[in-house]
Amino acid sequence: MLGRTTVTQHLLLTQTEVSGATGTFTRLINELIVAAKLISREVNKAGLNDIIGYAGRENVQGEAVRKLDDFSNDAIIRRLQSSGVLCAMASEEVADVIEIPRNYPVGDYLLIFDPLDGSSNIDVNVSVGTIFSVLHRTTDSCDQGTLEDILQPGYKQVAAGYFVYGSSTIMVFCAGNGVHGFTLDPSIGEFLLSHENMKIPEWGNTFSINEGNYYYWSEDMRRYIDYLKDPKADHRGYTSRYVGSLVADFHRNLIHGGIFLYPADTKDPRKPHGKLRLMCEANPLAYIVEHAGGSASDGTQRIMNIIPEELHQRVPLIIGSKEEVRIVEEFIQGKR
Ligand code: AHM
Ligand code: MG
Protein backbone atom coordinates (compact mmCIF):
# COMPACT_ATOMS: atom_id res chain seq x y z
CA MET A 1 0.00 0.00 0.00
CA LEU A 2 2.68 2.47 1.04
CA GLY A 3 4.62 1.94 -2.16
CA ARG A 4 1.75 1.93 -4.65
CA THR A 5 2.08 4.20 -7.69
CA THR A 6 -0.44 7.03 -7.91
CA VAL A 7 -2.15 7.70 -11.20
CA THR A 8 -0.31 11.02 -11.47
CA GLN A 9 3.07 9.32 -10.98
CA HIS A 10 2.09 6.78 -13.60
CA LEU A 11 1.08 9.49 -16.07
CA LEU A 12 4.31 11.41 -15.49
CA LEU A 13 6.40 8.24 -15.91
CA THR A 14 4.69 7.25 -19.17
CA GLN A 15 4.86 10.83 -20.40
CA THR A 16 8.64 10.83 -20.18
CA GLU A 17 8.64 7.83 -22.57
CA VAL A 18 6.95 9.94 -25.28
CA SER A 19 9.37 12.20 -27.09
CA GLY A 20 8.07 15.73 -27.48
CA ALA A 21 5.49 15.28 -24.70
CA THR A 22 4.58 18.64 -23.22
CA GLY A 23 2.47 17.59 -20.25
CA THR A 24 -0.73 18.80 -21.92
CA PHE A 25 -2.21 15.33 -22.09
CA THR A 26 -1.38 14.71 -18.42
CA ARG A 27 -3.22 17.91 -17.58
CA LEU A 28 -6.28 16.71 -19.46
CA ILE A 29 -6.39 13.39 -17.62
CA ASN A 30 -5.74 15.06 -14.27
CA GLU A 31 -8.74 17.38 -14.73
CA LEU A 32 -10.88 14.42 -15.72
CA ILE A 33 -9.80 12.66 -12.54
CA VAL A 34 -10.85 15.65 -10.44
CA ALA A 35 -14.27 15.61 -12.15
CA ALA A 36 -14.57 11.87 -11.50
CA LYS A 37 -13.75 12.35 -7.81
CA LEU A 38 -16.54 14.94 -7.58
CA ILE A 39 -18.96 12.55 -9.30
CA SER A 40 -17.84 9.67 -7.10
CA ARG A 41 -18.50 11.78 -4.01
CA GLU A 42 -22.03 12.65 -5.14
CA VAL A 43 -22.80 9.05 -6.13
CA ASN A 44 -21.59 7.85 -2.73
CA LYS A 45 -24.04 10.00 -0.81
CA ALA A 46 -26.82 9.80 -3.39
CA GLY A 47 -29.44 8.56 -0.93
CA LEU A 48 -28.70 11.34 1.56
CA ASN A 49 -29.14 14.49 -0.48
CA ASP A 50 -31.72 15.57 -2.98
CA ILE A 51 -29.87 14.27 -6.02
CA ILE A 52 -31.72 11.03 -6.76
CA GLY A 53 -34.45 11.17 -9.39
CA TYR A 54 -35.23 13.06 -12.54
CA ALA A 55 -34.18 16.54 -13.57
CA GLY A 56 -37.54 17.03 -15.28
CA ARG A 57 -36.44 17.08 -18.92
CA GLU A 58 -35.33 14.81 -21.73
CA ASN A 59 -31.94 14.71 -23.44
CA VAL A 60 -31.32 14.90 -27.19
CA GLN A 61 -32.06 11.19 -27.47
CA GLY A 62 -35.49 11.50 -25.82
CA GLU A 63 -34.32 9.87 -22.59
CA ALA A 64 -35.33 11.24 -19.19
CA VAL A 65 -32.37 13.07 -17.64
CA ARG A 66 -31.59 12.40 -13.99
CA LYS A 67 -30.20 14.98 -11.58
CA LEU A 68 -26.98 13.01 -11.30
CA ASP A 69 -26.65 12.95 -15.10
CA ASP A 70 -26.76 16.75 -15.00
CA PHE A 71 -24.32 16.99 -12.09
CA SER A 72 -21.82 14.66 -13.79
CA ASN A 73 -22.13 16.41 -17.12
CA ASP A 74 -21.57 19.84 -15.54
CA ALA A 75 -18.64 18.57 -13.43
CA ILE A 76 -16.76 17.34 -16.50
CA ILE A 77 -17.53 20.37 -18.65
CA ARG A 78 -16.60 22.90 -15.96
CA ARG A 79 -13.35 21.17 -14.99
CA LEU A 80 -12.23 20.66 -18.57
CA GLN A 81 -13.35 23.83 -20.33
CA SER A 82 -10.80 25.95 -18.47
CA SER A 83 -7.94 23.42 -18.76
CA GLY A 84 -6.53 24.98 -21.93
CA VAL A 85 -5.95 21.55 -23.50
CA LEU A 86 -9.24 21.02 -25.38
CA CYS A 87 -10.65 22.62 -28.50
CA ALA A 88 -14.11 21.03 -28.05
CA MET A 89 -16.07 18.41 -26.16
CA ALA A 90 -19.08 16.21 -26.88
CA SER A 91 -21.35 14.59 -24.34
CA GLU A 92 -24.10 12.02 -24.47
CA GLU A 93 -26.26 14.57 -22.66
CA VAL A 94 -25.68 17.53 -25.02
CA ALA A 95 -27.13 17.77 -28.53
CA ASP A 96 -24.29 19.67 -30.22
CA VAL A 97 -20.54 20.07 -29.98
CA ILE A 98 -19.61 21.79 -26.70
CA GLU A 99 -17.46 24.81 -27.45
CA ILE A 100 -14.73 26.18 -25.21
CA PRO A 101 -15.86 29.59 -23.87
CA ARG A 102 -14.04 32.48 -25.58
CA ASN A 103 -12.30 33.62 -22.39
CA TYR A 104 -10.39 30.31 -22.04
CA PRO A 105 -7.36 29.11 -24.02
CA VAL A 106 -7.91 26.43 -26.66
CA GLY A 107 -5.78 23.28 -27.07
CA ASP A 108 -5.45 20.44 -29.57
CA TYR A 109 -7.43 17.64 -27.91
CA LEU A 110 -11.11 16.69 -28.03
CA LEU A 111 -12.98 14.88 -25.27
CA ILE A 112 -16.10 12.80 -25.90
CA PHE A 113 -17.88 11.37 -22.87
CA ASP A 114 -20.86 9.66 -21.35
CA PRO A 115 -20.94 11.45 -17.99
CA LEU A 116 -22.97 8.87 -16.06
CA ASP A 117 -23.46 5.58 -17.82
CA GLY A 118 -26.15 3.33 -16.37
CA SER A 119 -27.74 6.21 -14.47
CA SER A 120 -31.12 4.46 -14.38
CA ASN A 121 -29.44 2.22 -11.77
CA ILE A 122 -28.56 5.04 -9.41
CA ASP A 123 -31.77 4.87 -7.35
CA VAL A 124 -31.09 1.24 -6.43
CA ASN A 125 -27.39 1.42 -5.46
CA VAL A 126 -26.08 -0.40 -8.51
CA SER A 127 -22.73 0.54 -10.08
CA VAL A 128 -22.65 3.37 -12.61
CA GLY A 129 -19.73 4.97 -14.43
CA THR A 130 -18.19 7.60 -16.70
CA ILE A 131 -16.81 6.66 -20.13
CA PHE A 132 -14.43 8.88 -22.09
CA SER A 133 -12.60 9.07 -25.40
CA VAL A 134 -9.75 11.41 -26.34
CA LEU A 135 -9.01 12.49 -29.91
CA HIS A 136 -6.54 14.85 -31.51
CA ARG A 137 -8.01 17.59 -33.70
CA THR A 138 -7.88 17.09 -37.46
CA THR A 139 -8.45 20.70 -38.50
CA ASP A 140 -5.31 22.78 -38.44
CA SER A 141 -6.32 25.78 -36.42
CA CYS A 142 -5.94 27.39 -33.02
CA ASP A 143 -9.65 28.09 -32.89
CA GLN A 144 -12.63 26.05 -31.65
CA GLY A 145 -12.88 22.39 -32.64
CA THR A 146 -15.70 21.47 -34.99
CA LEU A 147 -18.05 18.57 -35.62
CA GLU A 148 -15.60 17.50 -38.33
CA ASP A 149 -12.90 17.13 -35.66
CA ILE A 150 -15.22 15.05 -33.49
CA LEU A 151 -16.50 12.67 -36.19
CA GLN A 152 -13.38 10.50 -36.38
CA PRO A 153 -13.35 6.69 -36.42
CA GLY A 154 -12.39 4.95 -33.19
CA TYR A 155 -8.99 3.81 -34.39
CA LYS A 156 -7.91 7.48 -34.31
CA GLN A 157 -8.44 7.73 -30.54
CA VAL A 158 -5.29 8.68 -28.64
CA ALA A 159 -6.64 7.49 -25.30
CA ALA A 160 -9.81 6.16 -23.73
CA GLY A 161 -11.05 4.90 -20.43
CA TYR A 162 -13.77 4.74 -17.86
CA PHE A 163 -14.52 5.14 -14.17
CA VAL A 164 -16.80 2.71 -12.33
CA TYR A 165 -18.47 4.07 -9.21
CA GLY A 166 -19.07 0.72 -7.56
CA SER A 167 -18.07 -1.08 -4.39
CA SER A 168 -14.91 0.96 -4.92
CA THR A 169 -14.27 3.64 -7.51
CA ILE A 170 -11.91 2.44 -10.21
CA MET A 171 -10.42 4.15 -13.24
CA VAL A 172 -9.38 2.00 -16.20
CA PHE A 173 -7.33 3.84 -18.74
CA CYS A 174 -5.22 3.33 -21.86
CA ALA A 175 -3.13 5.83 -23.78
CA GLY A 176 -1.71 3.31 -26.22
CA ASN A 177 0.72 1.64 -23.83
CA GLY A 178 -1.29 -0.95 -21.97
CA VAL A 179 -4.55 -0.92 -20.06
CA HIS A 180 -4.13 0.02 -16.42
CA GLY A 181 -6.56 0.15 -13.51
CA PHE A 182 -6.34 2.56 -10.56
CA THR A 183 -8.53 2.26 -7.48
CA LEU A 184 -9.54 5.35 -5.53
CA ASP A 185 -8.41 5.30 -1.91
CA PRO A 186 -11.03 7.70 -0.47
CA SER A 187 -9.04 8.25 2.71
CA ILE A 188 -6.26 10.01 0.81
CA GLY A 189 -8.22 11.00 -2.32
CA GLU A 190 -5.76 9.30 -4.67
CA PHE A 191 -6.19 6.76 -7.44
CA LEU A 192 -3.56 4.05 -6.82
CA LEU A 193 -2.35 1.51 -9.36
CA SER A 194 -4.22 -1.72 -8.63
CA HIS A 195 -4.47 -3.51 -12.01
CA GLU A 196 -1.33 -3.16 -14.12
CA ASN A 197 -1.33 -4.13 -17.79
CA MET A 198 -4.78 -5.70 -17.85
CA LYS A 199 -5.48 -8.50 -20.33
CA ILE A 200 -8.90 -9.96 -21.06
CA PRO A 201 -8.98 -13.78 -21.13
CA GLU A 202 -9.25 -15.10 -24.69
CA TRP A 203 -12.33 -17.11 -23.67
CA GLY A 204 -14.94 -16.54 -21.00
CA ASN A 205 -18.13 -18.26 -19.94
CA THR A 206 -20.17 -15.17 -19.07
CA PHE A 207 -22.64 -13.62 -21.49
CA SER A 208 -24.26 -10.30 -20.83
CA ILE A 209 -27.34 -9.17 -22.76
CA ASN A 210 -30.84 -7.86 -22.04
CA GLU A 211 -32.81 -11.01 -22.80
CA GLY A 212 -36.06 -9.09 -22.39
CA ASN A 213 -35.47 -8.02 -25.99
CA TYR A 214 -35.24 -11.62 -27.27
CA TYR A 215 -38.28 -11.46 -29.55
CA TYR A 216 -37.10 -8.16 -31.05
CA TRP A 217 -33.71 -9.52 -32.18
CA SER A 218 -32.78 -10.98 -35.54
CA GLU A 219 -33.15 -14.72 -36.03
CA ASP A 220 -29.33 -15.07 -35.95
CA MET A 221 -29.04 -13.36 -32.59
CA ARG A 222 -31.77 -15.59 -31.11
CA ARG A 223 -30.01 -18.68 -32.48
CA TYR A 224 -26.75 -17.53 -30.90
CA ILE A 225 -28.28 -17.01 -27.44
CA ASP A 226 -30.12 -20.35 -27.72
CA TYR A 227 -26.75 -21.94 -28.54
CA LEU A 228 -25.13 -20.47 -25.41
CA LYS A 229 -27.92 -21.88 -23.24
CA ASP A 230 -28.08 -25.29 -24.95
CA PRO A 231 -26.62 -27.92 -22.58
CA LYS A 232 -26.01 -30.21 -25.58
CA ALA A 233 -24.02 -27.64 -27.59
CA ASP A 234 -20.26 -28.01 -28.21
CA HIS A 235 -19.14 -25.62 -25.47
CA ARG A 236 -18.28 -25.70 -21.78
CA GLY A 237 -21.42 -23.94 -20.65
CA TYR A 238 -22.19 -20.28 -20.08
CA THR A 239 -23.57 -18.21 -17.27
CA SER A 240 -25.64 -15.05 -17.68
CA ARG A 241 -24.86 -11.76 -15.93
CA TYR A 242 -26.52 -8.44 -16.78
CA VAL A 243 -26.07 -5.42 -14.53
CA GLY A 244 -27.66 -2.99 -16.97
CA SER A 245 -24.76 -0.54 -16.61
CA LEU A 246 -22.49 -0.98 -19.60
CA VAL A 247 -19.34 0.06 -17.70
CA ALA A 248 -20.00 -2.47 -14.93
CA ASP A 249 -20.85 -5.32 -17.31
CA PHE A 250 -17.80 -4.47 -19.41
CA HIS A 251 -15.47 -4.22 -16.42
CA ARG A 252 -16.51 -7.63 -15.08
CA ASN A 253 -15.91 -9.23 -18.49
CA LEU A 254 -12.57 -7.44 -18.89
CA ILE A 255 -11.36 -9.11 -15.70
CA HIS A 256 -13.01 -12.54 -15.98
CA GLY A 257 -13.54 -12.86 -19.73
CA GLY A 258 -16.85 -13.16 -21.53
CA ILE A 259 -19.03 -11.20 -23.87
CA PHE A 260 -21.38 -8.21 -23.71
CA LEU A 261 -23.96 -7.66 -26.43
CA TYR A 262 -26.42 -4.90 -27.19
CA PRO A 263 -27.59 -5.93 -30.65
CA ALA A 264 -29.92 -4.19 -33.08
CA ASP A 265 -33.59 -4.80 -32.30
CA THR A 266 -37.00 -3.81 -33.59
CA LYS A 267 -38.38 -2.68 -30.23
CA ASP A 268 -38.19 1.04 -30.91
CA PRO A 269 -38.30 2.17 -34.56
CA ARG A 270 -36.29 5.29 -33.59
CA LYS A 271 -33.39 3.04 -32.51
CA PRO A 272 -32.92 0.42 -35.25
CA HIS A 273 -29.24 -0.06 -34.37
CA GLY A 274 -29.73 -0.83 -30.68
CA LYS A 275 -29.31 1.55 -27.79
CA LEU A 276 -25.62 2.24 -27.36
CA ARG A 277 -23.76 5.16 -28.83
CA LEU A 278 -20.76 4.81 -31.10
CA MET A 279 -18.76 7.87 -30.08
CA CYS A 280 -19.15 8.00 -26.31
CA GLU A 281 -19.72 4.33 -25.39
CA ALA A 282 -18.71 1.82 -28.08
CA ASN A 283 -15.50 3.44 -29.36
CA PRO A 284 -13.78 4.06 -26.00
CA LEU A 285 -14.59 0.57 -24.72
CA ALA A 286 -13.49 -0.93 -28.06
CA TYR A 287 -10.16 0.89 -27.68
CA ILE A 288 -9.72 -0.51 -24.16
CA VAL A 289 -10.73 -4.05 -25.07
CA GLU A 290 -8.45 -4.22 -28.11
CA HIS A 291 -5.48 -2.98 -26.11
CA ALA A 292 -6.30 -5.68 -23.55
CA GLY A 293 -6.32 -8.39 -26.24
CA GLY A 294 -10.07 -8.62 -26.88
CA SER A 295 -12.26 -7.34 -29.68
CA ALA A 296 -15.33 -5.26 -30.46
CA SER A 297 -17.61 -5.62 -33.45
CA ASP A 298 -21.03 -4.59 -34.73
CA GLY A 299 -21.42 -8.11 -36.08
CA THR A 300 -19.96 -7.44 -39.49
CA GLN A 301 -17.08 -5.03 -38.87
CA ARG A 302 -14.65 -3.78 -36.25
CA ILE A 303 -16.30 -1.05 -34.14
CA MET A 304 -13.25 1.23 -34.43
CA ASN A 305 -13.38 1.14 -38.26
CA ILE A 306 -16.86 2.65 -38.44
CA ILE A 307 -16.80 6.15 -39.93
CA PRO A 308 -19.22 8.18 -37.80
CA GLU A 309 -21.82 10.24 -39.62
CA GLU A 310 -23.45 11.92 -36.66
CA LEU A 311 -22.59 12.78 -33.10
CA HIS A 312 -25.19 10.62 -31.38
CA GLN A 313 -25.04 7.69 -33.79
CA ARG A 314 -26.04 4.33 -32.29
CA VAL A 315 -24.41 1.04 -33.10
CA PRO A 316 -24.93 -2.65 -32.29
CA LEU A 317 -22.18 -3.58 -29.84
CA ILE A 318 -20.59 -7.01 -29.41
CA ILE A 319 -17.55 -6.71 -27.16
CA GLY A 320 -15.33 -8.89 -25.01
CA SER A 321 -13.07 -11.91 -25.27
CA LYS A 322 -11.72 -12.41 -28.77
CA GLU A 323 -13.01 -15.95 -29.29
CA GLU A 324 -16.46 -15.11 -27.98
CA VAL A 325 -16.80 -12.14 -30.35
CA ARG A 326 -15.64 -14.34 -33.23
CA ILE A 327 -18.38 -16.90 -32.53
CA VAL A 328 -21.11 -14.23 -32.55
CA GLU A 329 -19.79 -12.90 -35.86
CA GLU A 330 -20.01 -16.39 -37.30
CA PHE A 331 -23.68 -16.63 -36.31
CA ILE A 332 -24.45 -13.18 -37.73
CA GLN A 333 -22.56 -13.84 -40.94
CA GLY A 334 -24.36 -17.17 -41.48
CA LYS A 335 -21.27 -19.33 -40.94
CA ARG A 336 -23.00 -21.31 -38.17
P1 AHM B 1 -27.27 5.49 -20.43
O1 AHM B 1 -25.93 5.88 -20.96
O2 AHM B 1 -28.33 6.49 -20.72
O3 AHM B 1 -27.23 5.09 -18.99
O4 AHM B 1 -27.76 4.20 -21.28
C1 AHM B 1 -26.89 3.16 -21.56
C2 AHM B 1 -27.17 1.99 -20.67
C3 AHM B 1 -25.98 1.07 -20.59
O5 AHM B 1 -25.21 1.37 -19.48
C4 AHM B 1 -26.62 -0.29 -20.45
O6 AHM B 1 -25.80 -1.30 -20.97
C5 AHM B 1 -27.88 -0.14 -21.23
O7 AHM B 1 -28.21 1.23 -21.23
C6 AHM B 1 -29.00 -0.92 -20.63
O8 AHM B 1 -30.12 -0.80 -21.45
P2 AHM B 1 -31.39 -1.73 -21.28
O9 AHM B 1 -32.08 -1.27 -20.05
O10 AHM B 1 -32.18 -1.51 -22.53
O11 AHM B 1 -30.92 -3.14 -21.17
MG1 MG C 1 -24.25 5.20 -21.33
Side-chain angles (χ1 to χ4, degrees):
M1 182 69 184
L2 291 179
R4 275 193 195 275
T5 309
T6 67
V7 66
T8 313
Q9 280 176 320
H10 197 271
L11 283 165
L12 292 170
L13 278 171
T14 44
Q15 184 187 308
T16 55
E17 290 163 12
V18 183
S19 66
T22 58
T24 321
F25 179 74
T26 305
R27 210 153 67 234
L28 193 174
I29 301 300
N30 271 332
E31 284 301 339
L32 202 51
I33 287 171
V34 176
K37 285 182 193 170
L38 291 166
I39 299 168
S40 180
R41 187 194 64 194
E42 290 305 299
V43 167
N44 271 293
K45 53 179 189 176
L48 299 174
N49 51 16
D50 182 31
I51 199 142
I52 279 185
Y54 295 96
R57 61 181 180 82
E58 290 187 342
N59 69 8
V60 57
Q61 346 229 346
E63 297 154 340
V65 175
R66 287 168 189 263
K67 291 180 196 167
L68 262 171
D69 285 321
D70 269 349
F71 177 89
S72 308
N73 194 52
D74 290 350
I76 296 174
I77 294 173
R78 291 188 59 181
R79 290 304 314 186
L80 270 299
Q81 69 184 3
S82 57
S83 65
V85 303
L86 296 177
C87 59
M89 287 180 261
S91 163
E92 180 185 301
E93 299 299 335
V94 181
D96 302 314
V97 173
I98 304 163
E99 294 197 340
I100 306 301
R102 292 283 161 195
N103 47 328
Y104 293 127
V106 166
D108 285 334
Y109 289 105
L110 301 126
L111 180 73
I112 307 171
F113 57 94
D114 177 355
L116 201 64
D117 177 63
S119 57
S120 64
N121 276 325
I122 197 76
D123 303 4
V124 289
N125 272 69
V126 170
S127 301
V128 292
T130 297
I131 310 175
F132 63 93
S133 161
V134 181
L135 292 162
H136 214 268
R137 71 182 309 156
T138 52
T139 53
D140 187 20
S141 147
C142 324
D143 203 5
Q144 296 286 335
T146 62
L147 184 59
E148 185 191 334
D149 287 304
I150 300 262
L151 294 182
Q152 298 184 52
Y155 70 83
K156 295 265 178 87
Q157 291 170 105
V158 296
Y162 60 86
F163 297 85
V164 184
Y165 313 110
S167 48
S168 57
T169 292
I170 187 167
M171 170 190 186
V172 173
F173 168 72
C174 178
N177 50 359
V179 176
H180 307 293
F182 303 85
T183 301
L184 180 63
D185 180 338
S187 64
I188 56 168
E190 282 282 3
F191 279 94
L192 303 174
L193 184 60
S194 51
H195 300 68
E196 194 167 15
N197 210 9
M198 299 172 83
K199 293 286 173 204
I200 185 167
E202 205 168 316
W203 293 87
N205 70 346
T206 301
F207 72 94
S208 191
I209 191 167
N210 184 345
E211 278 198 78
N213 295 334
Y214 184 89
Y215 288 104
Y216 299 99
W217 297 332
S218 69
E219 175 63 28
D220 293 333
M221 190 49 58
R222 289 202 295 263
R223 273 193 317 110
Y224 166 69
I225 295 298
D226 292 344
Y227 160 80
L228 297 188
K229 298 198 295 190
D230 182 355
K232 296 197 204 82
D234 62 339
H235 56 63
R236 285 165 287 183
Y238 284 86
T239 190
S240 165
R241 291 281 182 277
Y242 191 70
V243 174
S245 289
L246 172 62
V247 272
D249 280 312
F250 176 84
H251 186 64
R252 181 200 54 245
N253 291 358
L254 178 64
I255 290 176
H256 293 313
I259 187 153
F260 173 93
L261 306 99
Y262 208 112
D265 61 56
T266 56
K267 199 171 184 178
D268 182 344
R270 292 168 307 171
K271 301 174 189 169
H273 304 295
K275 182 178 180 188
L276 301 178
R277 282 130 294 210
L278 174 63
M279 306 293 294
C280 64
E281 294 175 319
N283 269 340
L285 297 185
Y287 183 87
I288 292 285
V289 87
E290 285 200 11
H291 280 272
S295 57
S297 165
D298 71 353
T300 57
Q301 61 181 320
R302 181 184 179 220
I303 288 289
M304 287 202 286
N305 282 349
I306 297 172
I307 311 290
E309 286 168 7
E310 42 179 305
L311 192 50
H312 296 283
Q313 186 168 329
R314 295 180 199 259
V315 69
L317 179 62
I318 299 156
I319 189 164
S321 295
K322 213 175 206 150
E323 278 304 301
E324 306 300 339
V325 173
R326 187 185 60 76
I327 293 170
V328 187
E329 284 180 328
E330 285 183 358
F331 272 88
I332 290 176
Q333 292 165 19
K335 297 178 188 157
R336 281 191 185 234

